[in-house]
Structure formats: C-alpha cells, structure tokens
Amino acid sequence: MLRPMSASQGPTLRELAVQALSSVERGYDLLAPKFDHTPYRTPDPVLHAVTRVLAELGPFGRGLDLCCGTGAGLGVLREVCRERVTGVDFSAGMLAVGRGCVQGAQGVDWVRADARALPFRDAFDLVVSFGAFGHFLPAERPGLFAQVRSVLAPGGRFAFPVAAPARPGSLGYWTLLGFDTSMRVRNALWRPRFVMYYRDFRLADVRAELARAGFQVDLYALEELGRRPDGSPRCRLLVATAH
C-alpha cells in the first residue's frame, strides 16, 4: 500500500532525517508541504476501492476522516456522504496543507484534535481512517476505538483498509521488520519518541478489541487490489458497525 516517492517533489534525505528525529506531531508539521509526494500518502487505487465498497453500503450522512493528514480520505467521504464531512488531525501543518488543497470546497470542516480525545459526541454516521494506526501503541487501541464509538451515531460505521500481512521471509516481511526494528532502536536512544510501527496492527487482535468496544465487524475484499497466489485478497476493508 506504499507508493514510490517522487524524487523531484518529495522530501530530501536530510528533511526525512530531521522529521524522524522529531516528535510525531512536529515531524508531520515539517513533512506536510511535501507529504503528498511521499509513499505515506494513501494510494489512489486504495481510495477508489474503498469508495466502491462504501458506496454499496451507503449512502451515509455525516462523515469523519480520523487522522486525516492532508485529506486524501476526505475525497472518499465526499463521494459517499450526503451531509458535511470533517477531517481531524493533530498536525497543524497537515491540516493547513489539506485546507489549501480543497480551498473553497463546500461542506468540509477541518479540526485540530488528538484522536485519543475527540471533541465530538454521536456526531457522525461514518468514520474512516487510512494508514494512521501505526502511530498508536497496542495498549492505546482500546481507548482509540472507544473514542470512535463515542462519536458515531447509533448504527454508525467505522471503516479502514487492512492489507494482508507479508509472508515470512518475503521482501515485504524483511522490509517491515527492518523498519520497525530501526524505529524501536531510535526510540530507545532518542527523545521525543516517534511512534510508527507497521507490524503491531494484527487483524485478529483488532477484531477482538473492536468487539469489546461495541462493534460488529465485517470484512470486504477490495478486489481492485488483487489477490495473493493462495487466492486470498491482498487488501480488505474492515467495516465495524456500532451496536
């Protein structure tokens, strides 16, 4: 689900190094002007596939993009929601870039807030999130999911894509293992911490945590993204319905 980085428009190695030695919030403030030219911006094929599934489940009323960054997920919400949509993020820099990209768009709100303390209650019919869960330690997820449950109206849905785990021994497996290991070494030696771990988000654990938070969980294959040699989807959309 990562894209190649644009060498001409993306951040330099020095800029990435400065970001990596900052806090998560400060790092994204620094990266914001060039974020959409990095591999971390959700690829368009993923956004289109998620839009297709949500359009079949909707339409929805009000929508929230959780940890919205520069707002790629807001495009999905604007396709499937009939009322106002909101992006929430704790990086002022990312929000500023997002506002500039959709300047003049009607029915879009931008809110600076921590996802672990959302300033809403029963306000949305659909919450989406793309690529943000690596910034939350496993111990923080139950509280995060409880926050999402609290901002959803009865019967509201929480949706996010989940990629199939890399097979042990594959290039993807070693790449993610190397990244997570380097982040753990960095955080052991440097403060402030920069939490970003790809391998801690395990589907079985997440389903159980969502169920305890008051959700019913369903999975939908994102067929546009292909299947693995064993026939399983490369990526699914997890849709958690509040009950």
Side-chain angles (χ1 to χ4, degrees):
M1 294 172 67
L2 296 181
R3 307 175 308 156
M5 185 164 65
S6 168
S8 60
Q9 297 175 291
T12 65
L13 290 176
R14 181 182 181 280
E15 288 171 331
L16 287 173
V18 171
Q19 183 223 2
L21 293 175
S22 306
S23 66
V24 178
E25 181 179 351
R26 177 60 178 157
Y28 276 104
D29 284 347
L30 294 170
L31 185 61
K34 298 183 178 181
F35 178 79
D36 287 345
H37 303 288
T38 72
Y40 307 112
R41 192 260 191 191
T42 304
D44 287 339
V46 175
L47 298 172
H48 296 329
V50 170
T51 300
R52 174 188 61 79
V53 174
L54 291 178
E56 293 170 358
L57 296 174
F60 301 91
R62 301 150 295 170
L64 175 70
D65 184 2
L66 185 72
C67 305
C68 65
T70 56
L74 284 167
V76 175
L77 292 178
R78 293 173 70 190
E79 289 284 334
V80 301
C81 294
R82 296 172 296 186
E83 301 177 30
R84 297 191 72 85
V85 300
T86 300
V88 64
D89 202 282
F90 76 164
S91 166
M94 298 289 273
L95 292 171
V97 171
R99 286 191 191 98
C101 291
V102 297
Q103 194 169 18
Q106 298 297 311
V108 180
D109 299 312
W110 302 84
V111 176
R112 186 183 181 195
D114 191 322
R116 293 162 293 198
L118 293 171
F120 319 103
R121 283 297 177 269
D122 300 331
F124 301 100
D125 306 292
L126 174 64
V127 175
V128 298
S129 193
F130 295 90
F133 296 119
H135 294 304
F136 300 94
L137 296 171
E140 296 176 302
R141 284 201 307 260
L144 175 67
F145 294 157
Q147 283 290 300
V148 174
R149 178 66 183 82
S150 75
V151 306
L152 282 168
R157 284 169 164 161
F158 178 31
F160 51 87
V162 181
R167 288 193 175 83
S170 67
L171 176 61
Y173 175 88
W174 291 115
T175 299
L176 295 180
L177 178 60
F179 182 90
D180 280 13
T181 300
S182 67
M183 290 302 297
R184 294 186 187 282
V185 172
R186 178 254 187 242
N187 288 331
L189 300 175
W190 192 268
R191 290 292 184 273
R193 294 189 306 170
F194 193 99
V195 175
M196 188 175 183
Y197 301 124
Y198 283 107
R199 300 177 70 248
D200 284 341
F201 197 75
R202 299 182 180 90
L203 181 57
D205 296 337
V206 168
R207 292 188 71 164
E209 290 161 358
L210 285 166
R212 287 193 290 271
F215 289 98
Q216 174 185 319
V217 177
D218 296 292
L219 295 170
Y220 299 84
L222 297 178
E223 296 291 358
E224 298 91 329
L225 304 180
R227 289 184 172 264
R228 305 205 295 182
D230 63 3
S232 61
R234 294 190 181 278
C235 190
R236 295 179 172 92
L237 182 67
L238 187 152
V239 178
T241 303
H243 56 68

